[in-house]
């Protein structure tokens, strides 16, 4: 018996290893012209794992606190062997993860994978998306450089615009009235403890749901397959799809490494709370569409409504509607509406992001 | 090494033979890469185990195995080096090791780096350590300790400071920023003064 | 019961009277903290020429030390009866004639025994100095238009020079002098220019004094003297400047300019740097360009012209090298490389530039190059450190390239493996087992 078989038998005796893996051996992935989109979820998960690993490594040297944060990141970049690589991978992977999370969400949306019985998967996924954005926002401040400091200032300021609870939310986020060292400590706590804990639970739920419910097939393809069962194509998860996923993950790893080495992440200049904000402060690209929208809303709408408050509320409402969209699909007509809203949202986000980049 | 890689793969899948459900024999398999159709076009004759398939298998195994090992090394090596703490400790921007005990003779001074700015450490004739910024407040030249004058002197325009950093003569308009000195064991730590 | 009430009423009345009396006494005491100058009873409400308000006089240092109007003007300050206080018998002098003001002030201020009672450390030679000054000499010759003590120090609200509101506070001296010296009508007869204050207010010294609050910067009195105010002669100007600009003066004295300047009667520093309008010298001052001062005397072909050109090109070369090193180090630093050591060295290298700009005053190429050469060496070392840092950065990219190849191999291998296991027909399966 080969050593691998020995180990397997040992585990099987104690864990019912084979029983545990049985569902996975049977798992299949539907094959059709849109199957490529199925990779996105896995890549997002892979990038999350990369974040956790590189994050833990960074934790070994990073020190939160206004007097030490910037210097410790500088130390990691310059003194620690391969620190520059770990840090740059962490920063790039963060950005890629936000992108793939959005892409995954939109692909799920347009392939209508949120339909019954998969509503909970959609909900947990949306919460995960918000968590990912929270990860991005909190992590961005940690190097404590000028750009991060002012981006956080602007971002939390916008939070304060929410009527009634906005001020309280802002003080909660900032750990005070202004962005200070207390904010940094708080964001650090969110970033390394609160958000990872929540995210881990939700990821487990999300993946479990996917396993239990199987992979959804888009409505048109499903209709074709019902009409003609011979057309149905499925691929075994193990080893075929798994190997393809492995290829995709390896390519993602390569892309990450290339980005980290060719475009290493800047240190910036240490934050000084007392200087005036540099011109043209912009948040990270994934918040840019919201930021730009708020910028172009006039200060007073219909002469009585505050423009910024209106913008913030509008985005809140849009987010809420988006989360609940799956429950709004009842008929073919409402399905068309939902698709239209989706296309509009996608175009809006992409358009405003580009606009935000080229605007002064 | 390459066999290891290949064996790993083989044990991942329980049945290698039927990779697709519901497929009629002879039907072209659908795969993302369309590779299978290419393979069957390459004229592998059924029932004839030949040299070509064996060579191909070994080639793939070697390729995979060595690739795996190379990437594993490429990942694990940097992580291992990262985990080992570097020689220079990171004490932050507020404090630095300026010198070791015994390095300075009485009535002499030494320039050290405080981040990227110069600092001056002086051991007075009475045996006391003083530390201050070495950037002259006039036009930012680097000052020095003059044992003959028992004072700090700037060679650029003849500015003079006393051992407390106060500007006493010449063009400097402001005193030099003083630092705290603490001797811990063999090391002399210099720290920025903090407001109470 | 009634007795208690009555005695408490009495007690209350007594307290009120007492407090009223105390308050009045206190009010009186405050106004009599200084000996009551009865003169001010009338003179505080008289019009301008004869008017001195109590508020104004309370600012005067003499008043604060306990002197009264009578201390200078004579008479009796304790009486508010005009006849009694301003009687000749009491020694009343009335309006003090301008010609007599210095002597009057000097009657106390030149008396060390008297001044010791108030401020032992105060000098008592002001009057004797004044007699040596242009103002003092002209006053003695009968010209009352010149400055006397009260013109500069003000009168009736005289503040010590250390008080920032004083007319002779270091930062205010130039304005005080300019009250006469910038007045073209007043200075017409003396045939001296009136542009000094306008020039001086454009100078680095004025800026240091007023904008940066550096009280060690020179004002009019620093170079010309205050009580013995006289312009230094052409030959001694260098001495005045050299009290602060020590190195430049030393170098100048040993330079080839010293002898020709002395024989031509040209003042040392002023010829190139101006006397009042001393502006911040830039590298453009040196050399043979448009803004250069060397071409005031030197022409193409003479040794000085060549030397000026060489010194300028050396300076420019050093400044550029330092700049290049700075740029490359900043570039390396911003892409995450550790260069703080090299950046610290660059600060030291910049010292060479500062020193070279001082050693220009030797007007010898070798002396300047003695400062330039170590600077160039330092700048080159720092530049190379920057290059090393960038090379290290590029080395990382190469390392990445290798690992990308490894990844590509794995990806290729996986693809081939996939093809193999999905070729599907039994024979292929058999070939794998």
């Amino acid at each position: 018996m080969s050593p691998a078989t020995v180990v397997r038998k040992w585990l099987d005796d104690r864990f019912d290893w084979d029983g545990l893996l049985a569902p996975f051996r049977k798992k299949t992935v539907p094959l059709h012209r849109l199957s490529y989109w199925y990779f996105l979820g896995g890549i997002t998960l892979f990038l999350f794992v990369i974040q956790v690993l590189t994050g833990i490594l960074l934790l070994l040297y990073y020190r939160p606190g206004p007097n030490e944060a910037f210097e410790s990141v500088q130390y990691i970049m310059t003194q620690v062997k391969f620190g520059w690589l770990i840090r740059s991978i962490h920063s790039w992977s963060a950005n890629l993860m936000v992108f793939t999370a959005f892409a995954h969400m939109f692909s799920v949306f347009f392939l209508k994978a949120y339909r019954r019985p998969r509503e909970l998967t959609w909900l947990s996924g949306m919460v995960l998306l918000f968590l990912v954005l929270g990860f991005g926002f909190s992590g961005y401040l940690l190097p404590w450089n000028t750009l991060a400091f002012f981006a956080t200032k602007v971002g939390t300021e916008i939070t304060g615009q929410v009527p009634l609870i906005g001020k309280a939310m802002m003080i909660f986020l900032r750990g005070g009235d202004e962005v200070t060292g207390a904010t940094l400590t708080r964001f650090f706590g969110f970033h390394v403890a609160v958000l990872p804990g929540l995210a881990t639970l939700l990821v487990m739920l999300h993946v479990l749901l996917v396993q239990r419910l199987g992979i959804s097939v888009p409505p048109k393809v499903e209709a074709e397959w019902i009409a003609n069962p011979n057309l149905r194509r499925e691929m075994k998860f193990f080893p075929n799809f798994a190997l393809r996923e492995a290829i995709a993950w390896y390519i993602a790893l390569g892309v990450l490494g290339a980005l980290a080495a060719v475009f290493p992440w800047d240190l910036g200049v240490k934050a000084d709370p007392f200087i005036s904000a540099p011109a043209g402060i912009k948040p990270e690209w994934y918040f840019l569409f919201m930021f730009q929208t708020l910028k172009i809303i006039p200060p007073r709408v219909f002469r009585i409504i505050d423009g910024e408050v209106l913008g913030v509320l509008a985005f809140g409402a849009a987010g809420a509607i988006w989360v609940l969209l799956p429950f709004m699909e009842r008929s073919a007509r409402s399905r068309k509406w939902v698709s239209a809203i989706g296309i509009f949202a996608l175009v809006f986000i992409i358009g405003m992001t580009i606009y935000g980049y080229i605007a002064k | 090494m390459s066999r290891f890689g290949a064996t790993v793969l083989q044990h991942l899948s329980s049945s290698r033979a039927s990779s697709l459900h519901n497929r009629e024999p002879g039907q072209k398999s659908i795969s993302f890469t369309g590779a299978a159709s290419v393979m069957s076009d390459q004229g592998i004759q059924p029932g004839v185990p030949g040299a070509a398939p064996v060579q191909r298998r070994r080639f793939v195994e070697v390729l995979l195995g060595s690739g795996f090992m190379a990437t594993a090394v490429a990942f694990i090596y940097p992580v291992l080096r990262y985990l080992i703490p570097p020689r220079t400790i990171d004490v932050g921007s507020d404090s630095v090791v300026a010198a070791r005990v015994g390095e300075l003779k009485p009535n002499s001074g030494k320039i050290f780096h405080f981040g990227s700015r110069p600092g001056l450490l002086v051991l007075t004739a009475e045996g006391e350590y003083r530390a201050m910024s070495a950037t002259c407040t006039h036009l930012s030249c680097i000052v020095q300790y003059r044992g003959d004058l028992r004072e700090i002197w700037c060679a650029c325009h003849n500015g003079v400071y006393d051992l407390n950093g106060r500007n006493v003569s010449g063009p400097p308009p402001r005193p030099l920023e003083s630092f705290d000195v603490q001797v811990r064991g063999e090391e002399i730590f210099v720290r920025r003064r903090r407001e109470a | 019961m009634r007795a208690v009430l009555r005695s408490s009423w009495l007690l209350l009345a007594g307290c009120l009277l007492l407090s009223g009396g105390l308050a009045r006494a206190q009010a009186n005491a405050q106004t009599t903290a200084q000996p009551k100058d009865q003169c001010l009873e009338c003179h505080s409400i008289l019009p301008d020429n004869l008017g001195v308000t109590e508020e104004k006089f309370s600012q005067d240092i003499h008043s604060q030390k306990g002197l009264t109007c009578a201390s200078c003007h004579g008479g009796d300050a304790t009486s508010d009866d005009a006849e009694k206080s301003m009687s000749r018998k009491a020694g009343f002098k009335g309006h003090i004639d301008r010609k007599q003001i210095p002597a009057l002030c000097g009657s106390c201020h030149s008396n060390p025994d008297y001044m010791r009672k108030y401020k032992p450390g105060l000098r008592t030679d002001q009057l004797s100095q004044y007699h040596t000054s242009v103002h003092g000499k002209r006053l003695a010759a009968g010209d009352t238009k010149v400055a006397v003590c009260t013109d500069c120090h003000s009168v009736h609200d005289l503040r010590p020079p250390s008080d920032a509101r004083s007319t002779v506070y270091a930062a205010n001296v130039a304005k005080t002098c300019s009250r006469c010296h910038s007045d073209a009508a007043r200075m017409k007869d003396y045939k001296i220019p009136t542009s000094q204050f306008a020039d001086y207010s454009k100078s680095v010294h004025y800026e240091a004094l007023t904008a940066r609050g550096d009280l060690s910067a020179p004002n009019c009195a620093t170079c010309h003297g205050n009580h013995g105010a006289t312009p230094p002669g052409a030959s001694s100007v260098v001495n005045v400047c050299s009290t602060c600009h020590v190195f430049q003066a030393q170098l100048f004295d040993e330079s080839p300019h010293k002898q020709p300047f002395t024989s031509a009667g040209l003042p040392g520093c002023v010829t190139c740097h101006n006397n009042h309008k001393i502006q911040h010298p830039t590298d453009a001052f040196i050399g043979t360009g448009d803004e250069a001062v060397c071409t005031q005397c030197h022409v193409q072909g003479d040794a000085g012209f060549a030397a000026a050109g060489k010194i300028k090109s050396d300076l420019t070369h050093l400044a550029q090298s330092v700049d290049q090193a700075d740029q490359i180090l900043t570039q390396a630093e911003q892409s995450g490389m550790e260069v703080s050591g090299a950046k610290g060295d660059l600060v030291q290298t910049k010292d060479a530039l500062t020193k070279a700009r001082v050693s220009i005053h030797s007007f010898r190429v070798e002396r300047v190059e003695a400062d330039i050469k170590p600077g160039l060496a330092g700048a080159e070392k720092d530049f190379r450190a920057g290059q090393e840092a960038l090379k290290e950065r590029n080395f990382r990219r190469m390392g990445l390239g290798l690992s990308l190849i490894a990844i590509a191999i794995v990806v290729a291998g996986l693809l081939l493996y996939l093809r193999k296991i999905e070729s599907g027909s039994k024979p292929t399966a058999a070939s794998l087992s």
Side-chain angles (χ1 to χ4, degrees):
Chain A
M1 264 205 257
S2 71
T5 323
V6 170
V7 172
R8 213 166 109 194
K9 273 197 69 68
W10 194 90
L11 286 174
D12 195 30
D13 274 341
R14 286 150 187 78
F15 279 104
D16 188 17
W17 186 251
D18 281 340
L20 211 63
L21 289 190
F24 286 100
R25 294 197 199 289
K26 287 210 289 268
K27 177 173 156 135
T28 62
V29 175
L31 278 186
H32 47 79
R33 64 187 178 284
L34 295 167
S35 290
Y36 273 110
W37 291 102
Y38 291 145
F39 280 127
L40 281 171
I43 292 182
T44 313
L45 176 65
F46 172 66
L47 291 175
F48 180 68
V49 171
I50 294 278
Q51 286 304 85
V52 170
L53 292 176
T54 53
I56 290 173
L57 287 175
L58 287 173
L59 256 184
L60 294 178
Y61 291 105
Y62 175 75
R63 290 200 308 274
N67 286 332
E68 301 183 300
F70 182 81
E71 285 77 15
S72 64
V73 175
Q74 192 177 35
Y75 185 70
I76 290 170
M77 292 289 282
T78 57
Q79 303 283 15
V80 179
K81 289 274 175 285
F82 293 105
W84 59 273
L85 185 67
I86 304 289
R87 193 237 167 171
S88 290
I89 286 184
H90 193 81
S91 303
W92 272 112
S93 172
N95 280 277
L96 289 183
M97 183 167 79
V98 173
F99 180 75
T100 57
F102 266 103
H104 177 57
M105 184 266 283
F106 273 115
S107 72
V108 163
F109 181 86
F110 286 118
L111 292 182
K112 303 219 175 289
Y114 51 73
R115 291 165 297 152
R116 181 163 176 265
R118 292 181 176 83
E119 297 96 330
L120 284 180
T121 322
W122 169 261
L123 284 177
S124 58
M126 280 308 295
V127 178
L128 274 170
L129 182 64
F130 292 138
L131 287 181
V132 167
L133 291 176
F135 267 119
F137 189 60
S138 56
Y140 195 54
L141 179 66
L142 297 186
W144 198 248
N145 54 30
T146 311
L147 279 179
F149 180 83
F150 285 105
T152 308
K153 201 156 175 237
V154 170
T156 47
E157 198 85 44
I158 291 175
T159 319
Q161 295 294 323
V162 175
L164 295 174
I165 53 167
K167 197 82 201 298
M169 272 168 58
M170 188 182 85
I171 292 182
F172 170 72
L173 281 178
R174 284 184 177 178
D177 288 315
E178 295 291 333
V179 175
T180 59
T183 319
L184 182 60
T185 311
R186 206 164 265 239
F187 274 32
F188 180 68
F190 292 150
H191 191 80
V192 308
V194 177
L195 291 173
L198 289 174
T200 306
L201 287 173
L202 277 165
V203 164
M204 290 202 295
L205 174 66
H206 193 79
V207 172
L208 185 69
L209 283 168
V210 170
Q211 293 309 320
R212 300 286 294 170
L213 298 169
I215 305 226
S216 140
V217 181
K220 288 221 179 73
V221 178
E222 190 153 39
E224 283 171 25
W225 286 3
I226 290 172
N228 186 355
N230 280 342
L231 288 175
R232 179 175 225 110
R233 294 275 168 267
E234 285 185 8
M235 174 189 281
K236 281 185 66 143
F237 189 76
F238 271 116
N240 305 69
F241 192 77
L243 280 177
R244 286 178 171 80
E245 276 231 284
I247 293 173
W249 291 12
Y250 252 96
I251 292 175
L253 196 58
V255 167
L256 255 186
L259 287 169
V262 177
F263 302 110
W265 211 258
D266 243 5
L267 259 180
V269 174
K270 182 172 176 174
D272 181 358
F274 298 111
I275 59 166
S276 29
I281 276 289
K282 282 200 265 244
E284 272 293 83
W285 63 270
Y286 37 90
F287 290 122
L288 205 54
F289 72 97
M290 284 191 265
F291 182 70
Q292 192 59 29
T293 312
L294 288 175
K295 264 172 89 173
I296 62 174
I297 296 179
R300 285 233 159 264
V301 178
F302 300 129
R303 283 212 215 120
I304 42 168
I305 310 171
D306 184 285
E308 206 176 347
V309 174
L310 184 69
V312 171
L313 284 178
F315 273 116
I321 293 173
W322 191 262
V323 171
L324 296 172
L325 267 175
F327 301 96
M328 297 185 186
E329 262 194 16
R330 278 172 222 271
S331 58
R333 207 166 140 259
S334 59
R335 233 176 281 140
K336 281 219 172 60
W337 267 110
V338 168
S339 295
I341 292 175
I343 293 175
F344 171 72
L346 187 60
V347 171
F348 180 79
I349 290 177
I350 293 177
M352 290 311 274
T353 308
I354 295 174
Y355 183 20
Y357 256 111
I358 56 179
K360 294 266 182 307
Chain B
M1 226 168 47
S2 56
R3 290 195 78 73
F4 172 72
T7 350
V8 166
L9 274 178
Q10 283 169 16
H11 279 275
L12 271 179
S13 53
S14 52
S15 74
R16 288 152 274 143
S18 59
S19 52
L20 297 168
H21 272 328
N22 300 333
R23 214 179 40 80
E24 309 289 288
Q27 212 177 9
K28 285 224 176 104
S29 60
I30 302 170
S31 77
F32 294 120
T33 58
S37 49
V38 175
M39 286 282 270
S40 44
D41 284 342
Q42 280 169 352
I44 299 166
Q45 298 305 315
V48 176
V54 174
Q55 264 180 358
R56 201 163 277 129
R57 166 177 60 165
R58 218 168 263 145
F59 172 66
V60 171
E61 278 177 15
V62 166
L63 196 65
L64 266 177
S66 50
F68 258 139
M69 292 313 288
T71 50
V73 167
F75 306 151
I76 294 183
Y77 173 71
V79 172
L80 285 179
R81 297 277 332 251
Y82 178 92
L83 291 171
I84 302 169
R87 192 89 36 87
T88 51
I89 44 170
D90 182 13
V91 287
S93 65
D94 282 344
S95 123
V96 80
V97 177
R100 309 191 74 80
V101 172
E103 211 180 304
L104 278 175
K105 288 204 228 342
N107 198 29
S108 72
K110 171 191 177 198
I111 298 284
F112 61 94
H113 283 281
F114 209 139
S116 57
R117 293 186 209 285
L120 176 68
L121 178 70
V122 174
L123 177 57
T124 64
E126 293 80 30
E128 203 188 327
Y129 281 107
R130 298 282 172 93
M132 61 209 78
S133 159
T135 306
C136 185
T137 54
H138 176 225
L139 288 180
S140 306
C141 288
I142 296 189
V143 302
Q144 50 188 280
Y145 178 68
R146 288 276 297 265
D148 51 339
L149 296 174
R150 302 273 167 114
E151 278 180 327
I152 291 147
W153 179 66
C154 181
C156 287
H157 301 95
N158 208 31
V160 179
Y161 304 82
D162 65 14
L163 282 167
N164 292 316
R166 272 192 287 270
N167 47 324
V168 293
S169 159
R174 278 181 313 280
L176 295 170
E177 188 193 348
S178 293
F179 302 139
D180 278 333
V181 183
Q182 259 145 12
V183 181
R184 227 182 286 162
E186 286 296 302
E187 291 171 326
I188 302 169
F189 281 87
V190 173
R191 251 181 359 165
R192 238 177 259 282
R193 287 237 174 102
R194 310 288 237 98
E195 249 76 280
Chain C
M1 186 60 196
R2 264 224 220 110
V4 175
L5 261 177
R6 207 178 292 152
S7 39
S8 45
W9 277 121
L10 275 171
L11 194 55
L12 185 60
C15 288
L16 282 170
L17 276 170
L18 196 59
S19 57
L22 274 172
R24 195 137 174 274
Q26 216 172 27
N28 282 346
Q30 270 177 345
T31 47
T32 52
Q34 301 154 327
K36 182 79 172 123
D37 246 322
Q38 294 296 336
C39 319
L40 290 172
E41 291 277 312
C42 295
H43 279 274
S44 56
I45 47 180
L46 285 176
D48 265 336
N49 235 10
L50 295 167
V52 178
T53 61
E54 231 178 276
E55 193 196 332
K56 184 177 182 191
F57 194 51
S58 65
Q59 307 279 321
D60 194 293
I61 181 85
H62 298 119
S63 163
Q64 286 167 2
K65 292 291 180 192
L67 273 64
T68 64
C69 312
S71 316
C72 294
H73 290 283
D76 181 7
T78 57
S79 153
D80 58 2
D81 175 5
E83 293 241 357
K84 259 180 69 197
S85 54
M86 296 196 283
S87 71
R88 292 277 162 211
K89 217 170 23 173
F92 182 64
K93 295 190 202 135
H95 174 80
I96 311 287
D97 189 36
R98 276 181 72 82
K99 223 175 152 197
Q100 282 152 356
I101 288 178
L104 173 62
C105 302
S107 62
C108 293
H109 278 278
S110 299
N111 186 345
D113 290 319
Y114 184 73
M115 290 312 296
R116 197 178 299 126
K117 286 195 281 187
Y118 292 95
K119 192 164 180 184
L122 206 57
R123 295 175 68 130
T124 48
D125 60 350
Q126 297 93 337
L127 185 61
S128 54
Q129 284 214 341
Y130 180 72
H131 286 319
T132 69
S133 71
V134 174
H135 299 139
K137 287 191 190 146
R138 294 197 81 94
L139 185 73
D143 182 356
T144 53
K145 260 170 65 179
V146 293
V148 295
C149 316
T150 51
D151 290 314
C152 296
H153 285 276
S154 177
V155 67
H156 300 136
D157 62 350
L158 202 156
R159 293 186 173 89
S162 54
D163 186 328
R165 297 164 294 174
S166 162
T167 45
V168 294
Y169 178 65
N172 299 336
V173 163
K175 241 196 324 202
T176 304
C177 302
S178 75
R179 281 210 320 258
C180 294
H181 282 274
S182 295
D183 184 346
R186 195 188 179 96
M187 307 288 3
K188 205 164 35 130
D189 297 325
Y190 300 107
K191 298 198 177 44
I192 49 178
T194 49
S195 57
Q196 301 92 335
F197 182 65
D199 282 344
Y200 175 72
S201 51
K202 296 201 190 87
S203 71
V204 280
H205 294 140
Y206 184 71
E207 193 210 331
L209 202 52
T210 53
R212 292 206 306 267
D214 184 358
L215 293 182
S216 65
N219 52 35
C220 315
T222 319
C223 297
H224 294 286
N226 44 11
H227 300 112
T230 311
S235 52
S236 55
V237 159
V238 184
N239 293 343
V240 175
C241 307
S242 68
T243 47
C244 295
H245 298 275
V246 177
F247 284 167
Q248 287 88 334
Q250 279 175 352
L251 287 167
F252 178 82
D253 277 344
E254 298 156 6
S255 78
H257 278 182
K258 170 85 172 154
Q259 217 270 317
F261 273 45
T262 320
S263 20
L266 286 171
C269 317
V270 173
T271 312
C272 297
H273 288 283
N274 202 284
N275 49 3
H276 300 119
K277 191 173 163 190
I278 304 171
Q279 303 205 288
H280 205 300
T282 61
D283 282 355
F285 267 45
I286 293 286
T288 53
D290 287 334
E291 285 174 43
V293 295
C294 312
T295 46
Q296 280 178 339
C297 300
H298 291 288
V299 290
Q300 182 110 43
D302 70 38
F305 190 86
K310 182 76 172 59
I311 291 176
K312 174 68 188 293
S313 70
D314 280 341
L315 264 183
T316 316
H317 185 201
L318 180 58
Q320 278 174 345
S321 306
V322 166
D323 226 10
Q324 274 178 332
D326 201 17
Q327 274 177 359
I328 200 177
L329 283 174
T330 308
Q331 190 190 9
E333 189 178 50
Q334 287 190 330
S335 40
M337 307 305 299
E338 156 63 356
V339 286
S340 67
K343 277 213 142 183
D345 284 339
L346 188 63
V347 172
Q348 204 154 14
T349 306
K350 285 183 183 160
D351 283 1
L353 204 49
T354 311
K355 286 197 189 129
R357 289 174 175 142
V358 170
S359 56
I360 284 171
H361 296 89
S362 67
F363 304 108
R364 285 182 216 277
V365 174
E366 328 83 62
R367 178 66 187 81
V368 176
E369 289 191 340
D371 281 325
I372 297 249
K373 282 206 169 52
L376 281 175
E380 202 192 301
K381 195 173 78 141
D382 300 328
F383 186 78
R384 260 183 286 128
Q387 280 180 320
E388 285 295 314
L390 288 178
K391 244 200 293 198
E392 160 75 17
R393 187 192 62 173
N394 294 339
F395 167 75
R396 291 175 180 177
R397 298 186 182 185
M398 207 174 60
L400 161 88
L402 293 175
S403 46
L404 276 182
I405 293 174
I407 287 179
I409 292 176
V410 172
V411 168
L414 284 173
L415 282 171
L416 288 177
Y417 188 75
L418 260 179
R419 283 186 196 186
K420 229 182 13 169
I421 61 174
E422 283 176 357
S423 58
S425 46
K426 286 203 183 77
T428 326
S431 68
L432 279 176
S433 43

